[in-house]
Amino acid sequence: MDKLRLIARLFTLIVSGTLLAAASYITFFWGAETDISIMVLWQILGTSALCSLSGLFFASGRKEPSKKEMLLRNILGFAYVNAVVLTCAFAFEWIENSDPRMIAGMEICIIAVFGGVYLVGYLSDCREAEKMNRKLNMNKKDN
């Protein structure tokens, strides 16, 4: 159940970040006056759903992972997201004729969204840890 909640949370964050990145990417590479198909929204939702499965790299097991294990999970998660987005970008023709500038722009968007999602998750985890620590400290004072 925790894995499903994590994936749903990631999906929400990824879609939000991806829509911001897509708006910037489309404006920069295709122009603000371009006409795009409604199918792009479905493509973004599908790509985001596939990317949210990267949460399986971060799903907690019985024990907390070491720093090395977390680093490996982050690298694998990024590699997975990168592969999914670039595959979809070429399949859905978001990148025109393998234009190096468009590929670089897409890579910047991938890094920005991945970093943003990671940062939001990290800050959320820090807030949750702070709440838990406050409760523990209150319980210690009461005893």
Side-chain angles (χ1 to χ4, degrees):
M1 194 60 153
D2 286 339
K3 288 181 183 182
L4 287 177
R5 265 185 253 159
L6 175 63
I7 289 171
R9 180 175 164 220
L10 281 174
F11 178 74
T12 304
L13 292 170
I14 291 168
V15 167
S16 299
T18 300
L19 288 174
L20 288 170
S24 301
Y25 181 88
I26 291 167
T27 302
F28 184 79
F29 287 107
W30 297 96
E33 301 300 320
T34 193
D35 290 326
I36 60 171
S37 167
I38 193 71
M39 288 305 296
V40 170
L41 292 176
W42 290 110
Q43 293 166 358
I44 288 171
L45 289 172
T47 303
S48 296
L50 290 172
C51 288
S52 67
L53 295 177
S54 68
L56 298 175
F57 291 108
F58 303 105
S60 59
R62 291 184 356 210
K63 65 177 184 113
E64 287 297 315
S66 69
K67 288 182 181 182
K68 285 183 182 179
E69 288 173 323
M70 269 316 290
L71 178 62
L72 180 61
R73 288 179 184 191
N74 286 327
I75 291 169
L76 290 173
F78 179 76
Y80 170 78
V81 167
N82 201 38
V84 166
V85 174
L86 288 177
T87 300
C88 290
F90 284 110
F92 298 137
E93 298 178 352
W94 298 339
I95 297 173
E96 192 174 73
N97 297 326
S98 300
D99 180 351
R101 288 180 344 115
M102 289 183 122
I103 295 170
M106 185 63 66
E107 195 63 41
I108 289 168
C109 289
I110 294 167
I111 292 167
V113 172
F114 187 88
V117 169
Y118 186 86
L119 180 63
V120 168
Y122 175 79
L123 293 174
S124 176
D125 290 346
C126 285
R127 278 193 306 270
E128 188 64 32
E130 182 63 33
K131 283 182 193 177
M132 291 169 77
N133 286 333
R134 267 188 264 138
K135 283 185 180 183
L136 287 171
N137 286 334
M138 287 177 62
N139 288 341
K140 283 182 184 178
K141 289 178 184 178
D142 290 341
N143 290 331

